[in-house]
Amino acid sequence: MTKALEGVRILDMTHVQSGPTCTQLLAWFGADVIKVERPGVGDATRGQLRDIEGVDSLYFTMLNHNKRSITLNTKTDKGKEIFTKLLEACDVIVENFAPGAMDRMGFSWERIQEINPRLIYASVKGFGPGPYEDCKVYENAAQCTGGAASTTGFLDGPPMVTGAQIADSGTGLHLALGIVTALYHREQSGKGQRVLAAMQDGVLNLCRVKLRDQQRLQRGPLKEYSQHGQGIPFGNATPRAGNDSGGGQPGWILKCKGWETDPDAYIYFITQAAVWGKICDAIGKPEWKEDANYATPDARLDKISQIFDTIEEWTKTMTKFEVMKICNPLGIPCGPILSMKEIAEEPSLRETGTIVEVDHPTRGKYLTVGNPIKLSDSPSDVKRSPLLGEHTNEVLSEVLGMSPTDIADAKTDGSIGDETTASTIAAQ
Ligand code: COA
């Protein structure tokens, strides 16, 4: 079976999380991703949050699978020459440097089009054009500027960021879609184009329902928010909604047996209208089925908190898995709060390749998240991340046809690195 993106070559100038998430996805789908790193330095995340001295961090390894790594200083004359040849040989360049870095390197979009008009030039930036376009941005800053933080957390608490990396990994996902779309378009136009995914825009796209609520708020209270039932007036902006569901079916996180000592002994419980009668029977409140105060979704809206308190008295008598076991056959949508430990140990996620164990020459075995997007005819296998400069010689000779003497010359002035340790370890 062939990989879906086999034959596509990506020049990967990305670092940290957002850009690497994008190129890792493309690599999983079979693209040849050549990661360019600074000689002797590499992607900063190789050394960040290290758990083993001198070994590439999990931060790096878990974002850079299936790629090749070369070291190249794109600021020396020789380095620029090699980089230009790589631009000629690739289909896509991806970068997430601070604004203006590619221009300062001497590779503006205009220059790139001259070098290779078919090349797609894809970037992650913090912001699109406007007052903040020159700003550097990290995950949580984008969660704040994209509307997520102001709408996350509890009403009586401060704005809150979420653990899901919606700004970095989320924008990387958006960018990957932009790249494959531009590749598809190039089939007809024969031309590359500029692809930009701004982190603020990516976060806002994921917070679309909160902008929906902002506009609904102008026409009256948001009745499905539990603050409505609690009699707390709304202000002029979409409020933080705690664990309220963002849709039309009320939901909340409820305690289960063991909650006093286990921080994850909870379940998300949705009072879907279609199964209201079954919920009433299950929790021992069959009279609510006929009671006009509870029988319809509209009648329940101002009692949502009280209803969930009653359901919680029932869920507290069982473990989250026992609640799930009862609710599932009844068609009541709910989801136990799974800890990372439980997820890491879940056999079904191993079987589908969503959680994968990978072997690494200096780290040994570690767990990672495999490709979450499954194609029926183009399965993804997860290959370990490259060591710094592990493929420099291989890529320069195979892709650019450089001779061993040319490569040795480029090493003498530091334009490419001499990471012999990396290649030696990798060869073992
Ligand atoms: N050869 C020579 N120079 C290189 C190089 C190479 N192979 N790779 C990188 N560099 C240089 C860049 O050209 C830049 O130089 P300059 O400042 O002279 O232009 C320098 O390294 C640093 O790059 P920069 O992107 O500014 O890194 P930083 O560590 O200062 O900032 C971020 C990091 C993430 C804040 C910034 O890159 C950014 O805002 N990126 C866009 C948004 C983003 O993706 N954020 C999320 C990251 S997960």
Side-chain angles (χ1 to χ4, degrees):
M1 274 186 274
T2 56
K3 298 278 174 62
L5 292 181
E6 219 164 272
V8 175
R9 188 171 281 145
I10 313 271
L11 189 54
D12 180 10
M13 301 291 287
T14 68
H15 65 157
V16 201
Q17 183 181 165
S18 64
T21 306
C22 164
T23 51
Q24 176 169 262
L25 274 167
L26 302 173
W28 277 332
F29 287 129
D32 177 14
V33 175
I34 300 168
K35 185 169 171 104
V36 177
E37 299 180 78
R38 252 182 301 180
V41 183
D43 186 327
T45 58
R46 285 187 185 268
Q48 283 174 4
L49 312 177
R50 264 192 179 141
D51 56 332
I52 307 174
E53 197 46 44
V55 169
D56 284 339
S57 70
L58 285 165
Y59 195 7
F60 176 84
T61 54
M62 291 177 73
L63 287 161
N64 289 285
H65 292 106
N66 298 49
K67 303 181 186 177
R68 302 200 269 180
S69 162
I70 69 166
T71 49
L72 178 68
N73 184 341
T74 53
K75 287 182 175 164
T76 64
D77 288 344
K78 187 75 194 163
K80 281 182 202 288
E81 201 185 297
I82 295 172
F83 190 61
T84 304
K85 287 189 183 139
L86 283 166
L87 288 168
E88 285 165 357
C90 288
D91 298 286
V92 184
I93 175 172
V94 194
E95 60 90 24
N96 67 310
F97 290 130
M102 285 293 289
D103 294 4
R104 288 192 288 279
M105 236 180 241
F107 295 95
S108 63
W109 172 221
E110 291 71 28
R111 176 74 192 114
I112 285 174
Q113 280 171 295
E114 279 167 16
I115 296 169
N116 181 355
R118 283 179 59 80
L119 197 77
I120 289 152
Y121 176 8
S123 306
V124 170
K125 294 288 168 254
F127 296 92
Y132 305 117
E133 64 188 311
D134 293 330
C135 298
K136 286 184 178 179
V137 171
Y138 280 107
E139 171 71 43
N140 287 349
Q143 285 198 25
C144 293
T145 58
S150 73
T151 53
T152 304
F154 287 90
L155 199 56
D156 55 358
M160 193 164 279
V161 293
T162 156
Q165 306 284 282
I166 56 174
D168 278 345
S169 288
T171 309
L173 263 163
H174 283 93
L175 191 72
L177 178 61
I179 290 170
V180 290
T181 305
L183 278 168
Y184 182 74
H185 186 255
R186 195 181 69 173
E187 293 294 305
Q188 302 126 47
S189 70
K191 276 176 61 188
Q193 58 181 305
R194 190 89 171 81
V195 181
L196 171 68
M199 294 167 76
Q200 182 183 41
D201 300 7
V203 171
L204 179 56
N205 186 34
L206 300 175
C207 288
R208 169 177 298 265
V209 298
K210 300 297 179 180
L211 185 59
R212 172 201 68 192
D213 292 349
Q214 179 63 39
Q215 295 171 86
R216 292 172 61 226
L217 197 50
Q218 287 158 20
R219 302 210 167 79
L222 305 170
K223 290 186 182 160
E224 79 284 8
Y225 279 53
S226 41
Q227 84 172 71
H228 173 63
Q230 290 158 0
I232 304 169
F234 286 85
N236 58 12
T238 308
R240 291 187 266 290
N243 289 317
D244 280 335
S245 121
Q249 308 289 346
W252 196 257
I253 288 185
L254 305 179
K255 292 169 180 159
C256 295
K257 197 178 196 171
W259 65 273
E260 298 90 338
T261 51
D262 177 355
D264 298 309
Y266 290 82
I267 192 159
Y268 199 91
F269 195 101
I270 299 170
T271 55
Q272 193 203 13
V275 288
W276 175 245
K278 289 179 178 168
I279 295 171
C280 295
D281 288 336
I283 65 172
K285 284 279 180 192
E287 64 275 18
W288 278 0
K289 289 192 285 187
E290 308 302 332
D291 185 335
N293 288 318
Y294 293 91
T296 64
D298 275 355
R300 292 194 289 273
L301 277 180
D302 62 353
K303 301 171 204 68
I304 281 298
S305 299
Q306 177 234 319
I307 289 170
F308 280 123
D309 285 348
T310 307
I311 301 174
E312 189 171 63
E313 287 311 309
W314 177 71
T315 58
K316 269 167 37 179
T317 63
M318 289 166 283
T319 69
K320 58 191 176 188
F321 298 112
E322 286 165 347
V323 177
M324 182 82 171
K325 214 168 171 181
I326 293 174
C327 289
N328 247 349
L330 298 174
I332 303 169
C334 52
I337 308 303
L338 295 186
S339 69
M340 273 301 149
K341 184 171 187 299
E342 286 165 327
I343 287 173
E345 292 164 359
E346 172 57 42
S348 65
L349 294 176
R350 303 281 184 114
E351 276 158 30
T352 56
T354 297
I355 296 275
V356 186
E357 191 174 78
V358 185
D359 207 359
H360 185 276
T362 56
R363 155 170 298 282
K365 288 192 168 40
Y366 66 95
L367 285 187
T368 195
V369 185
N371 191 347
I373 306 163
K374 323 285 195 231
L375 300 189
S376 64
D377 288 355
S378 309
S380 304
D381 51 339
V382 179
K383 296 202 188 97
R384 70 164 174 85
S385 60
L387 300 170
L388 180 63
E390 184 178 336
H391 305 98
T392 305
N393 290 358
E394 177 185 301
V395 168
L396 296 186
S397 62
E398 176 200 304
V399 178
L400 300 188
M402 282 175 70
S403 69
T405 323
D406 288 345
I407 294 175
D409 278 355
K411 276 186 188 169
T412 49
D413 77 347
S415 292
I416 60 173
D418 188 14
E419 283 84 14
T420 42
T421 332
S423 353
T424 318
I425 294 169
Q428 281 167 3

